[in-house]
Each structure stands twice: as C-alpha cells, then as structure tokens.
Amino acid sequence: MRPIRPGDRGPAVTEIRTILLSLELLPAAGTHADEFDLDTERAVRAFQQSRGLSVDGRVGAETWRALDAARWRLGARTLYHAVPEPLTGEDVRSLQERLLEMGYDVGRADSIYGIRTARAVAQFQREVGLTPDGSCGPHTMNALRRIGRKVVGGRPQWLRESDAIRQSGPALVGKTVVIDPGHGGTDPGMVVPDGSLRWTEADLVHDLASRLEGRLAASGVRVQLTRGPSPDRCLPDTDRALLANSLGADVFISLHLDGHANPDAEGVATYHYGTDNGVTSATGERLAGLVQREIVARTGLRDCRTHAKTWELLRLTRMPAVRVEVGYLTSPTDRAHLVDPRFRDRVVEAIVAAVQRMYYPIERDVPTGSLDVSELRAVVAAGTVID
C-alpha cells in the first residue's frame, strides 16, 4: 500500500484518526475528521514510538497493521485458537506478555493467538481449576487478574532461551542461519549517486550477504538467503520471517544500510525484538549486542548502539533475530567504507565472530575483536569440532 501521509484526506485517514482518538493520542477537538494534519502526524509518530516501529509519521503497511491491532484491549473479546486465520491484536500480545511474566511458554509475544499460546492458556486454566479449553474468556480473565506473577527473581523466558542455546552446543557446524539482504526487486532501498556511479542499498547488502554466506558455510553452517541478486519482486518482511521459520533456522540476520537527509549522520546500529514494557527476545538481544560490538571493534564505524523494535521481521521470527544497519549510505565517510570490498569482508568476519560467541558458554567467551574467524574454517577443514 502507498503510505498515508500528511496532507492526505479520505476514509482511511478518518479510520486512522478514530483509532488514535481511542488511544488518547489525538485531541478530540481539531480539524476535519478526514484530514491527515499536523496533530495526526504527531499522534502517528507517538504511536510508532510507543510500539517500537520506525518513527516517520506516515502510515505504511506495518504501521497500519499495528493500528488495526491496537483496536483491541485485553478482555474486550474472547480469544481462542482459530484455524486457518488466527486471531491477532494488541489484546493477544498483552495476554502473551502476562503469561510470559507468570512463567508460561508462549514463545515470542507476537500478537498471534497460535497453538503455542492456546497451550499456555490451557496449562494456566488447568492449574487454577478451570476447564482447559485454551480459550481466554471472562472466567480466565478473572483468574489472571487474581493471580500474581508465578516466577519471581528472574526472567523465565531468558532462562528458557538460554538453555536452548546451551543445549545446542558451542560448535557452528550443523547450525542453520538465514541471511536476509534487505529490499530487492522493485525496491532498491537507498539509492545514492556518487559522481558517475550510483550505489544502491539492495546491491550492496546482497554482496554482504553473499560474503557472509561463504564465511558461514566454510565454518560448517547451513546457510539460506531470502533472495537472490535480482529478484522479480521485493519479498514482504512477513514472508521473510515465514521462510526462516519454515526452515527451522537457528539464527536470522537481516542486513540493511541506513540513510538520512543530513550527510553527517553515520554509524552502525543493530536491532532486536523488544517492546516498550521490557518484554524482549533475550537471545536476540544478546546476539544484537555481540554483532554491534564486533562490527564497531573491527571496522571503526561509529557506535549507534542496539535498540529494541517490534518490526514484523523481528517479531514474527521464532529464533534469535537481528537487523543490522551497517552504516549510512548517505554519509560520504561511511559510503567510502561500504563500497570497499575489503571493508565488507571485515563486517562479515565481525558477524561470524558474533554468531560463534553467542553459542559459547559465558565462562568461555572471548574479548570483543579477538576471535580469529579463520580458525573456525580450519577446524571444519580438519574434520574436527570444538566442544
């Protein structure tokens, strides 16, 4: 869909304003109900900020889906596992976060009432003496309101995810990594002219992804890219997440380049799944930190830190997932680095080192920038595995 932006009018704007009014983000008094005015833009930005979305003041497909989900408040309707179209909404996310706080395993708080959420609800119902039908109606809501947190003194989801990483072992051999070069097809991403040259984000990140594929494969990893160099169309983020889930990937890495109207904006930033109230993918957060520190240490790019986001690409994947913005294509300084193949090799080695370190036990971790990636390839070539 074309993003709805300031200056637009019509029924879609009226619907957006109605939802923003219900969320108390928009003053009731004001201009025409069908006008995307300055107040509406501010309200959209506030909504995007609170939901961990990209803050641009426009309503694109992802922001619209988040607004549509925000219509529902927990307790306003009965929730149940519907097939083939599951119920989605902010009420589902609130329920999932509540269950996670209580120690039940719903996986990721992805706002989708799937089988895992239904099983967690049924387990809760069984333990409080209700009929374990897996649906969340008035009786289940009353029980949730009466009962406090089940687990105190730690994050159960952190323990669950950390244990899964530990049990998989420290070796990369046999792991499955999905690499997602952003954009592609009809969407080139950032496009920056540079003298007689024209650099595009889609081309550069695909080159990065291909180099990363080679390094990981040489370390014994099964690697899948979400697209080729010249796809017919740009794959939606929801489809990219679905592909990673269908492959049973252990790690998901999305590669992008950033851009800004100010050419002085520069640096690398890494994103993981997380919400404004502290619910996060623990292993995704750790991987993001490792990727960020390794890239900064090995390339000298400005550290723009790690950030929690609820982007569909991160929310819908079931494995540790990160999105890396590897510098600003609009920055002359960053661009000079990014177009250098040797620099891209350093970025790739940093990401390989980060993925390996994620599987090391904490007591065996190594200082940032010290892991020699070539040793991982040598181990595979020698037919041995470090454990």
Side-chain angles (χ1 to χ4, degrees), residues 181-185 187-191 198-211 227-231 257 329 338 344:
H183 306 283
D187 177 15
M190 293 295 305
V191 180
R198 180 174 175 271
W199 302 107
T200 66
E201 178 183 0
D203 291 342
L204 286 169
V205 295
H206 186 269
D207 179 83
L208 266 174
S210 298
R211 292 169 188 266
R227 70 170 176 90
S230 303
L257 303 180
L329 194 56
L338 291 165
R344 296 200 293 273

Side-chain angles (χ1 to χ4, degrees), residues 161-377:
E161 292 183 6
S162 298
D163 186 60
I165 291 290
R166 181 185 61 78
Q167 290 191 24
S168 70
L172 289 183
V173 176
K175 302 277 193 307
T176 299
V177 174
V178 171
I179 306 170
D180 172 46
H183 306 283
T186 55
D187 177 15
M190 293 295 305
V191 180
V192 177
D194 186 9
S196 61
L197 301 174
R198 180 174 175 271
W199 302 107
T200 66
E201 178 183 0
D203 291 342
L204 286 169
V205 295
H206 186 269
D207 179 83
L208 266 174
S210 298
R211 292 169 188 266
L212 181 55
E213 177 186 25
R215 300 299 194 287
L216 286 170
S219 301
V221 176
R222 294 189 292 265
V223 186
Q224 174 72 48
L225 268 61
T226 59
R227 70 170 176 90
S230 303
D232 294 333
R233 66 185 183 94
C234 180
L235 198 66
D237 284 352
T238 50
D239 289 356
R240 297 174 196 242
L242 181 62
L243 173 62
N245 292 340
S246 68
L247 292 171
D250 297 292
V251 174
F252 180 89
I253 300 169
S254 185
L255 300 172
H256 286 255
L257 303 180
D258 217 330
H260 198 275
N262 184 348
D264 291 333
E266 61 180 47
V268 55
T270 308
Y271 300 87
H272 62 90
Y273 173 75
T275 66
D276 57 343
N277 60 357
V279 174
T280 186
S281 165
T283 49
E285 183 177 6
R286 179 162 184 253
L287 177 60
L290 291 169
V291 168
Q292 182 71 14
R293 293 194 297 274
E294 286 286 348
I295 291 178
V296 169
R298 293 171 187 258
T299 67
L301 286 172
R302 181 186 295 276
D303 185 0
C304 295
R305 306 187 183 280
T306 62
H307 306 273
K309 292 290 183 182
T310 62
W311 294 327
E312 290 170 334
L313 195 71
L314 304 175
R315 176 171 58 85
L316 299 178
T317 42
R318 298 175 190 152
M319 68 293 302
V322 296
R323 170 170 163 167
V324 192
E325 300 275 357
V326 193
Y328 281 73
L329 194 56
T330 50
S331 159
T333 302
D334 282 1
R335 186 167 64 251
H337 291 314
L338 291 165
V339 300
D340 181 352
R342 293 168 298 181
F343 178 86
R344 296 200 293 273
D345 280 338
R346 293 204 300 276
V347 171
V348 163
E349 295 211 345
I351 295 174
V352 174
V355 173
Q356 175 62 86
R357 287 181 61 194
M358 186 182 72
Y359 286 100
Y360 282 161
I362 298 297
E363 64 274 9
R364 285 186 53 194
D365 198 8
V366 297
T368 298
S370 67
L371 183 63
D372 186 351
V373 174
S374 64
E375 290 183 0
L376 304 178
R377 298 194 291 271

Side-chain angles (χ1 to χ4, degrees), residues 15-84:
E15 194 164 1
I16 290 167
R17 287 176 56 87
T18 299
I19 297 171
L20 293 171
L21 280 166
S22 71
L23 298 173
E24 300 182 348
L25 294 174
L26 192 64
T31 56
H32 301 287
D34 67 345
E35 180 183 352
F36 199 121
D37 59 4
L38 183 59
D39 283 340
T40 306
E41 181 185 5
R42 288 172 178 159
V44 169
R45 287 180 179 274
F47 175 81
Q48 291 170 327
Q49 182 71 42
S50 69
R51 297 316 193 269
L53 302 169
S54 297
V55 181
D56 59 9
R58 300 181 300 173
V59 180
E62 189 163 8
T63 297
W64 170 249
R65 284 191 287 269
L67 281 166
D68 190 48
R71 301 172 189 270
W72 297 105
R73 287 288 178 269
L74 185 58
R77 59 175 174 168
T78 296
L79 298 172
Y80 56 92
H81 180 219
V83 178

